[in-house]
Structures are given as structure tokens and as C-alpha cells.
Amino acid sequence: MRSDTATAITAGPRGVPLLGNLPQFAKDPLAFFTALRECGAGQVTWAMGRTPARFLNDPALIGELLSARESTFSLPDLGWSFRYLMGEGVVVAKGDDWRRKRSLVQPSVRPKQVRAYAATMADCARETAERWSGGERIDIRREMTGLTQRIAVRTVFGTDAAVREDVIGRCMDVAQRQMGAEFRGLGAMLPDWFRTPGRLRFKAAVDTLDAEVARIVAARREAGGERDDLLSRLLAAVDEAGVPLTDREIRDETVTLYNAGHETTATTLTWAWYLLSRNPKAREALTGELDRVLGGRTPGFDDYAELRWTEAVVKETLRLRPTVWLNLAVAEEGATLGGEPVPAGTQVWISPWATHRDPRRWPEPEEFRPERWLDGAPDAITDHTWFPFGGGTRACLGARFAMVEAVIVLATLGSRFHLDTGDEEIRPTVGLTLQPDREVLAVTRPVPAPAR
Ligand code: HEM
């Protein structure tokens, strides 16, 4: 079955009648994708139930697929809960509607804007650092979720009195839990009209959220003026014809940005603390860099360029624990990959989890080695050997935002505390994102202030 030809197509593991490889996929998707990678060929065919599927190993083909979306490949339906929460926002929209939305949202997350959000990120991280004391036991995932939630509320909706962080946070929590449950279980297969108790709770939370966002938008329109938040940028955005976003569209995009950015970043940070705790040398190098660059002060946007090791820690975390662990597109009429036709309706899957630990491309792939990202490292983004933020036409709009957020949070907290997670191994498990399989508990250990 093994082929050395990157562009070769080979058949994956044998499936069972009717279900194909679905049982293997459902049992352990990460192991299944690893097995497909080990088939060696550029494309591996398998069966998702009765639907023909392919898995891509070859980075050039991965790049081709990512760039062909919205032309010869389309996005699959993400399910009722996604649609109900995100409406017609940029993550869910397709075709011309998506093109218009993407061009309207993109300017709000440009580096110039991210610079303004960085101050909010640092303020929120400092509040967390000030709440922690030495020697206490914390649940890292809970802490990071609370922190990125505050950052998301304040960078998306602002800090006006009209913004009730607790109400938004609670509703989003309920919504995200249900989306995760639907993704893991059979929920995605239920018809849209079917209401489980979980779906009823979800719907109630989203309806409350809608009322909350409508109130915030009305208050902002009345008050007028420019602020340093995403809502302000979206209210000011106009399309090519000079048409602004409607209130419904503003609702969809704010909720979308909040959702796309909050749990993904919280999970990345949780894994980063865990990996740092298990790799003391990498953590020492982090402390050294933070002492040298910050000397005890809180980081800002301008420090990002100097915090090279901190950035490398985040990139290496995203390599080993890619929060978004899979991606897929569906072939349309006329689709090709590597010059070969792909029958319409075929699901084409790629997995950062499998590709990011391919020994043919990453020496010692299981090792946490941030130094691989420093000077002279090949550009893994253009090579498509590292794609935690996807790529091509529908690449993550918040990649810069997320990198700056993760670096600022790690730098602010890491210059004051080490988080010791102990010796117990924590494994990844899949839901909507790649989550730790249990609580990530840690003891906070204060870092001595830098000698001046
Ligand atoms: C570590 C954190 C994050 C990770 C790992 C991540 C990952 C991803 C991935 C894999 C995609 C799909 C890309 C593709 O299909 O090519 C995506 C899409 C998207 N992300 Fe992120 N993301 C993160 C943070 C953020 C943040 C902070 C925001 C917003 C501020 C954001 C906004 C979006 C949007 C709007 C899309 C949809 C783009 C489109 O379909 O045109 N993400 N993200």
C-alpha cells in the first residue's frame, strides 16, 4: 500500500459494508488520520459511510485544496447549531455572500487594528495575574477560558456600560458546549427541527444573546463615535457599493468573531502552559526572554517582534496541539487535485494533527522544540506543512489577532508565574476543538522579579 510518490492515490484501510471507515474514524479520529498518513501516498481514499472521501498527505495538494475553495470545492454544511448561532456570518456564508462579508470583516482585524486590541489583551491578562497568588492550585483551562472570554467581550463589544460581560459570557458558554456536543455525538445528524433538551437550552441562550447584542448595537448607534473595538469597525464598514452592514449582519459577525476566536485561543494557551511545564528548558528560555525584553513591565503590541521565543512557543504548541484538528471540503463538478479529477461529492479531508507530526517533514515530530521556529526555519506556512489557521481563500481571519493575544497572555502571566502541572500525562481528545482529556490543574509558582 505504501507509495513514495507524493501525488499517488492509494486506497486506505479496508472498511465495512455500508459504513465504510466510519467506525474507525468515530472510534479514534486522530489515530485514524495518522494511519491514513502512514499509507504514504499523496492522496488516500476511504469511505465516510457511503460518501467517498479522500485524505491529503502531500502539502502541495493541501495548498491546492485550500485555494480551490469557493471555486471547485465548497464548504460542507456545519450543522444546525452553527447556523443558528453564527447566522449568515463569514464562517458559515458561501459564494458571493461570503466574499462580501469577508471583505467587510477583514479590515477590522488588520495589524493596525490588532495593535489597538493588544492593549485590551494586556489589561485583561494583568487582571488575571493580579488575582493569582503563589502556591495556589488553579484549573488552567478554566482560567484561560475566563481570560480569553473577557478579551473577546471587550475587543468585540467594547467596555461601555451597556456591555454585560457576564450575560454574554454565560450565553456563549451554553452555546459553545452544545455545538461541541453536537459535533461529537449524533447531534449533527438530527434534522434541524428536532429539539433535544440540549438544543432547547442552546436556543434559549442564543435568543438571550441576540437581545443583548441588539441592545448593545442600538446603544452604540445612538451614542455614535469611534472606539477601539471590532463593533465600531463593523459599524463603519461599507461594501463596494457603499452599503453598510445591517443590524442582523452586525449581530452575525460580532457573534462569529467572538466564537471563532475565544475557545480556539483559550485551548491553545492551555496546551502551551502544559507543554511548557513538561519542558523546563523551554520554560527557562521563555523566562529569560521575558526578563530581557520586558524587565518586569506588561507587554504591548510593539514588544511582539522582540518576543521571538514566546512566539515560537505558540507556534510549536499549535504544531503539536492544533486546536482545529481537521478541515474538509467537498468536490464540485470539474474539481481536480494534482491534475487528476476528483468526482463531485467526494469529501476531501486534511488534518493538521497528522501533517504536523509527519516525520518526513518534522524531525523528532513528537518533541516540543520551539527552537525549530527560529532563524533559518523553512516557511512552514507557505509550504503547507503547518496550517493551524487553514490557508488559501478561507484562511483564518483572526490568525494575527490570535498570535498577538497568545503571545501577550503568555508574556504577561509567564513573567510573573510558572504553572506546574505535575507529571501526569494529559492526552488530547477531539470535540469541536482538540481539548485536554481532563482538567489541567497546576500550582502557581511566582517567578522572582528580574534583577535591575
Ligand atoms: C489559536 C486561535 C485560532 C485558531 C487555531 C484558528 C483556526 C482557524 C481555522 C483552522 C479556520 C479555518 C480556515 C480554513 O478553512 O482555511 C479559521 C477560520 C476563521 N477564523 Fe480562526 N482561529 C483562531 C483564532 C481566531 C480569532 C481570534 C478570530 C477572530 C478575531 C478568528 C476568526 C476566524 C474567522 C472569521 C474564520 C472564517 C474565515 C472564512 O471562512 O473566510 N479566528 N480559524
Side-chain angles (χ1 to χ4, degrees):
M1 204 150 50
R2 179 167 276 280
S3 161
D4 289 332
T5 318
T7 49
I9 305 179
T10 195
R14 188 187 291 275
V16 295
L18 294 178
L19 295 176
N21 301 101
L22 200 53
Q24 291 148 297
F25 172 76
K27 185 169 169 231
D28 187 346
L30 300 179
F32 179 63
F33 285 143
T34 304
L36 294 182
R37 186 194 73 211
E38 285 172 2
C39 289
Q43 299 187 51
V44 183
T45 58
W46 58 289
M48 183 75 180
R50 302 174 81 163
T51 308
R54 290 188 188 193
F55 178 78
L56 302 186
N57 267 321
D58 176 37
L61 295 179
I62 292 171
E64 204 182 319
L65 177 78
L66 290 172
S67 300
R69 289 169 305 166
E70 298 304 327
S71 59
T72 47
F73 286 88
S74 60
L75 246 56
D77 177 17
L78 298 171
W80 173 79
S81 59
F82 261 87
R83 278 182 271 118
Y84 198 79
L85 180 63
M86 312 248 207
E88 298 287 317
V90 64
V91 166
V92 174
K94 297 183 186 176
D96 287 342
D97 184 35
W98 163 77
R99 266 180 272 279
R100 172 174 176 268
K101 305 256 167 81
R102 189 161 167 115
S103 70
L104 282 161
V105 173
Q106 201 156 29
S108 66
V109 281
R110 288 219 174 103
K112 183 165 165 270
Q113 312 300 348
V114 175
R115 165 185 285 274
Y117 310 142
T120 306
M121 295 166 184
D123 284 348
C124 294
R126 206 179 39 231
E127 285 170 20
T128 299
E130 280 162 10
R131 202 165 34 74
W132 287 356
S133 54
E136 80 191 299
R137 206 167 157 76
I138 58 161
D139 175 335
I140 300 185
R141 182 161 33 163
R142 187 181 300 164
E143 291 288 327
M144 291 304 108
T145 302
L147 173 52
T148 61
Q149 192 165 73
R150 276 196 305 283
I151 293 175
V153 174
R154 295 184 198 175
T155 52
V156 174
F157 297 107
T159 49
D160 314 0
V163 179
R164 296 189 297 184
E165 282 185 23
D166 54 333
V167 176
I168 297 177
R170 250 195 334 268
C171 294
M172 295 282 197
D173 267 356
V174 174
Q176 281 183 335
R177 260 204 306 279
Q178 178 63 18
M179 278 178 10
E182 295 225 346
F183 193 77
R184 272 190 307 275
L186 296 174
M189 295 182 190
L190 295 175
D192 286 1
W193 52 263
F194 196 83
R195 293 285 175 266
T196 59
R199 279 190 167 187
L200 288 172
R201 274 195 302 278
F202 168 85
K203 188 174 174 304
V206 178
D207 293 347
T208 306
L209 180 68
D210 284 357
E212 196 65 13
V213 175
R215 207 175 50 72
I216 295 169
V217 172
R220 184 65 72 84
R221 282 201 194 281
E222 200 184 313
E226 280 260 321
R227 320 275 162 91
D228 275 338
D229 53 48
L230 282 147
L231 174 59
S232 200
R233 306 273 169 265
L234 292 171
L235 285 167
V238 288
D239 66 16
E240 282 175 349
V243 180
L245 290 158
T246 63
D247 277 4
R248 174 70 209 186
E249 287 173 334
I250 296 272
R251 176 263 173 230
D252 287 352
E253 298 310 343
T254 48
V255 172
T256 291
L257 289 169
Y258 182 107
N259 268 286
H262 148 59
E263 196 198 325
T264 43
T265 311
T267 308
T268 303
L269 282 162
T270 303
W271 283 122
W273 292 118
Y274 170 73
L275 292 166
L276 282 168
S277 175
R278 293 179 73 83
N279 292 277
K281 282 202 176 130
R283 188 164 72 180
E284 267 167 41
L286 178 74
T287 315
E289 175 172 277
L290 299 177
D291 271 9
R292 203 173 54 254
V293 177
L294 303 175
R297 65 181 169 77
T298 304
F301 185 83
D302 291 331
D303 295 308
Y304 187 95
E306 297 296 314
L307 296 172
R308 305 268 331 278
W309 184 265
T310 319
E311 185 198 46
V313 164
V314 177
K315 287 182 166 178
E316 184 68 346
T317 301
L318 283 165
R319 184 184 69 80
L320 276 174
R321 298 288 185 275
T323 327
V324 181
W325 55 281
L326 63 74
N327 203 326
L328 88 146
V330 181
E332 302 281 343
E333 282 308 327
T336 59
L337 281 172
E340 296 295 325
V342 182
T346 305
Q347 291 185 354
V348 183
W349 296 64
I350 54 176
S351 167
W353 168 268
T355 304
H356 288 185
R357 43 188 19 90
D358 186 339
R360 290 171 300 180
R361 301 185 170 95
W362 297 98
E364 298 181 87
E366 296 299 332
E367 298 298 313
F368 180 71
R369 288 179 35 201
E371 59 272 26
R372 59 171 107 231
W373 294 96
L374 299 181
D375 300 332
D379 189 344
I381 301 183
T382 29
D383 289 352
H384 300 293
T385 49
W386 183 78
F387 48 98
F389 297 109
T393 37
R394 297 202 67 140
C396 174
L397 271 174
R400 179 75 179 160
F401 185 115
M403 287 301 300
V404 170
E405 179 177 355
V407 163
I408 285 190
V409 168
L410 274 186
T412 308
L413 296 173
S415 55
R416 302 192 194 187
F417 294 97
H418 284 168
L419 304 186
D420 290 332
T421 59
D423 295 333
E424 209 181 341
E425 189 180 348
I426 296 180
R427 294 176 174 280
T429 178
V430 299
L432 200 53
T433 55
L434 192 71
Q435 288 290 338
D437 66 355
R438 74 195 81 149
E439 288 173 320
V440 187
L441 300 174
V443 176
T444 55
R445 202 154 47 77
V447 174
R452 291 287 130 216

